[in-house]
Amino acid sequence: MDKLQLERAAALTAARYDHPPLAFVHSFGCQQNVSDGEHLKGLLAEMGFGFTDSAENADLVLFNTCAVRESAEDRVFGNVGALKNIKRERPELMIALCGCMMQRPEVAERIKKSFPYVDIVFGTGAMHRLPEFLIRRLEGGKRVFWDQPAKNVIEGIPAVREEGVKAWLPIMQGCNNFCTYCIVPYVRGREVSRAPERIEQEARELVGRGYREITLLGQNVNSYGRGLAKPYNFPELLRRLDRVEGEYRLRFMTSHPKDCTRELIDVIAQSRHVCRHIHLPVQSGSDRVVQAMNRHYHIDGYLELIAYAREKMPDVTFSSDIIVGFPGETREEFLETLALIKKVRYNALFTFIYSRRAGTPAAEMPDPVPAGEKSEWFRELLEVQQGICCELNEAMVGSVQRVLFDSPGKSGEGFLAGRTEGNVIVEAPGDRSLIGRFLPVKITRAMNWAMVGTILESR
Ligand code: SF4
């Protein structure tokens, strides 16, 4: 980072306000965005900002936006609209918008025309330029609009992470896959991987600072390393990180079945720290629909991978994303998805009714199934999955699980919440001082959304 620029931005900010300035940073959307938000906060902290959790108290409001769904975009426009009165009362308030949505030219154009009180707009590749944009605006320049995409990963951006047990660790940016329903490759650009040495260094720091669960982030972590000067792949990266000493867990998301290999499964099976839980989004159980989504795998191959993982790690758990009602999907094809779900028996599913995203190929495909019918399919799918979850949870009653407690629980006063290695939520009575500890828990009861148990030892 450019130190002089940070200092200049800090000086200009200090001169503008007669009190220590406060920023309100809000990230919409996925974990990648949450992680970006932590780095944006890191930059603001270097420029002298403290943080507040309301726009009313802030001297700078920064919305880190998400473009994945149209409804998410509408929410952002609503939130920006709500700032108008605050800016009228306090014209010195700075308003900045960034993230995926701002990478879309039509959105930037709308902000330019309809929201004249917004000061700074920049896309996903320009996070590190925030100090420069602030300087330009604070020195009395025009409103700043920047939409150049990222070409490489910028290292050394500081982060303000949530204190606690879990940390996000981005390993790459962008996506090369162009699934036909997804806007991400258009707004986040092509894949670029961080150097393994930098990732390892950051992982060591996080473990040293007491984080107990580190989640490696990328749109498709399985293709990590392509394009690096020295070829490196994701299983190698996991092996390298697994050698970091300490008491911690590693998770990763998101995987793409077309790039998920037996080598990766072998590494997970042999590792000390990588959780035996794989989020492997299949999206549909129909080969035809999967091809229409441009996903490049076949259901048979997917099932073989699952079988191989279960052979190597009988306790491995799986979760997936499912889209119901992709354009042109028939009832028979939907039934193939139901059959797949019954076969795999996922511990968790993230289910969505297809929602049209302008600018993607799927948005142009004929979509004859009425919304009401799709909702009915969706309800069926939830019912099937709920039944599977209940059975899987019931089967855990009586077992002892190693749980990492990370927060106060929801099932009663004095309860703690945590997760098993397989990513199942467990609640148990316990003192808050146990948050951040890995403890053996005897499972005594299954609920819809979590298991309840008793901590066996906490010394
Ligand atoms: S892999 Fe597909 S769904 Fe995931 S971000 Fe890339 S294009 Fe989107």
Side-chain angles (χ1 to χ4, degrees):
M1 293 306 311
D2 186 331
K3 274 259 168 234
L4 287 177
Q5 223 169 41
L6 284 169
E7 282 167 17
R8 177 90 190 116
L12 286 167
T13 309
R16 184 176 173 99
Y17 303 104
D18 58 4
H19 53 269
L22 289 176
F24 171 57
V25 179
H26 183 73
S27 292
F28 296 80
C30 66
Q31 281 77 13
Q32 187 82 40
N33 248 22
V34 173
S35 170
D36 286 353
E38 293 176 344
H39 287 88
L40 290 159
K41 276 183 154 184
L43 285 169
L44 289 166
E46 293 280 316
M47 292 185 269
F49 281 88
F51 297 99
T52 168
D53 52 13
S54 94
E56 279 76 19
N57 301 330
D59 302 297
L60 180 145
V61 173
L62 174 55
F63 287 145
N64 182 24
T65 63
C66 167
V68 167
R69 286 164 196 283
E70 266 164 25
S71 56
E73 289 200 352
D74 292 343
R75 248 199 344 269
V76 170
F77 283 124
N79 278 276
V80 177
L83 296 176
K84 187 174 177 180
N85 287 339
I86 307 181
K87 181 93 172 187
R88 191 181 295 136
E89 281 166 27
R90 290 193 288 117
E92 71 280 10
L93 171 70
M94 297 283 288
I95 301 175
L97 309 177
C98 66
C100 297
M101 200 176 148
M102 300 305 135
Q103 202 69 50
R104 302 198 327 115
E106 57 274 39
V107 170
E109 209 41 51
R110 181 168 165 195
I111 300 283
K112 216 177 253 178
K113 291 209 176 99
S114 310
F115 301 86
Y117 50 90
V118 171
D119 297 285
I120 298 169
V121 172
F122 57 101
T124 50
M127 185 161 66
H128 60 292
R129 291 180 176 266
L130 176 59
E132 172 195 330
F133 298 151
L134 265 181
I135 293 170
R136 275 162 59 180
R137 189 60 175 148
L138 287 171
E139 283 183 334
K142 288 189 194 146
R143 303 163 73 199
V144 178
F145 284 83
W146 183 275
D147 64 356
Q148 298 305 307
K151 293 210 173 54
N152 34 41
V153 180
I154 307 294
E155 291 289 355
I157 304 179
V160 172
R161 289 189 160 91
E162 285 239 335
E163 285 307 317
V165 180
K166 302 176 176 185
W168 308 111
L169 175 46
I171 63 168
M172 59 197 295
Q173 290 172 3
C175 183
N176 291 355
N177 290 308
F178 292 93
C179 301
T180 50
Y181 52 84
C182 182
I183 194 87
V184 167
Y186 305 93
V187 290
R188 281 205 172 257
R190 298 296 82 74
E191 282 174 10
V192 213
S193 296
R194 295 180 67 197
E197 301 79 24
R198 301 301 292 249
I199 298 169
E200 181 189 331
Q201 185 193 349
E202 200 170 338
R204 283 186 188 282
E205 283 166 15
L206 292 171
V207 173
R209 283 172 54 194
Y211 287 100
R212 295 278 174 260
E213 185 173 295
I214 297 170
T215 303
L216 310 179
L217 289 181
Q219 305 297 341
N220 173 16
V221 291
N222 305 125
S223 62
Y224 168 82
R226 282 181 205 157
L228 282 175
K230 187 165 164 268
Y232 214 83
N233 69 19
F234 187 56
E236 282 175 287
L237 179 71
L238 279 188
R239 229 181 264 125
R240 178 179 191 132
L241 298 180
D242 193 50
R243 288 196 287 268
V244 174
E245 289 302 330
E247 199 182 17
Y248 67 96
R249 277 176 180 165
L250 280 174
R251 297 190 189 274
F252 55 86
M253 64 192 297
T254 287
S255 283
H256 194 309
K258 83 177 164 61
D259 299 310
C260 184
T261 59
R262 290 185 174 213
E263 183 194 1
L264 172 63
I265 287 164
D266 291 342
V267 169
I268 299 172
Q270 291 153 13
S271 77
R272 297 176 300 163
H273 300 289
V274 184
C275 289
R276 294 174 169 217
H277 168 255
I278 308 177
H279 182 66
L280 201 56
V282 70
Q283 307 297 3
S284 165
S286 150
D287 275 332
R288 193 206 63 81
V289 174
V290 166
Q291 298 324 307
M293 291 174 168
N294 197 34
R295 297 277 292 173
H296 298 284
Y297 48 83
H298 290 277
I299 299 304
D300 279 354
Y302 181 88
L303 287 172
E304 277 166 22
L305 208 57
I306 299 251
Y308 181 76
R310 287 196 163 136
E311 183 194 319
K312 295 282 167 180
M313 302 174 278
D315 54 345
V316 68
T317 59
F318 289 95
S319 55
S320 181
D321 300 339
I322 299 284
I323 296 174
V324 173
F326 186 76
E329 183 179 12
T330 63
R331 169 81 187 159
E332 288 66 35
E333 287 164 342
F334 167 69
L335 292 177
E336 289 183 70
T337 302
L338 278 193
L340 175 80
I341 288 166
K342 288 178 188 164
K343 216 176 262 178
V344 177
R345 295 172 68 78
Y346 297 99
N347 279 67
L349 277 187
F350 300 89
T351 47
F352 309 90
I353 296 180
Y354 169 77
S355 88
R356 189 182 167 279
R357 194 72 198 85
T360 61
E364 309 304 320
M365 295 178 186
D367 191 5
V369 176
E373 202 171 330
K374 291 185 183 183
S375 299
E376 183 53 32
W377 297 358
F378 188 70
R379 197 195 52 71
E380 260 179 81
L381 179 122
L382 291 188
E383 209 173 285
V384 168
Q385 178 58 22
Q386 203 161 31
I388 293 169
C389 274
C390 285
E391 286 169 19
L392 293 174
N393 287 353
E394 284 295 341
M396 280 175 71
V397 174
S399 69
V400 175
Q401 303 286 328
R402 185 170 179 257
V403 175
L404 171 60
F405 286 102
D406 56 38
S407 58
K410 293 188 189 136
S411 49
E413 189 60 31
F415 273 76
L416 301 178
R419 286 185 186 252
T420 66
E421 195 178 322
N423 217 20
V424 177
I425 300 172
V426 173
E427 297 221 341
D431 189 86
R432 284 189 180 207
S433 63
L434 300 178
I435 290 175
R437 298 267 308 273
F438 290 94
L439 293 168
V441 176
K442 173 114 185 217
I443 304 297
T444 53
R445 189 158 53 93
M447 299 189 289
N448 274 351
W449 55 278
M451 313 295 299
V452 178
T454 312
I455 298 174
L456 293 183
E457 56 184 75
S458 57
R459 276 177 297 132

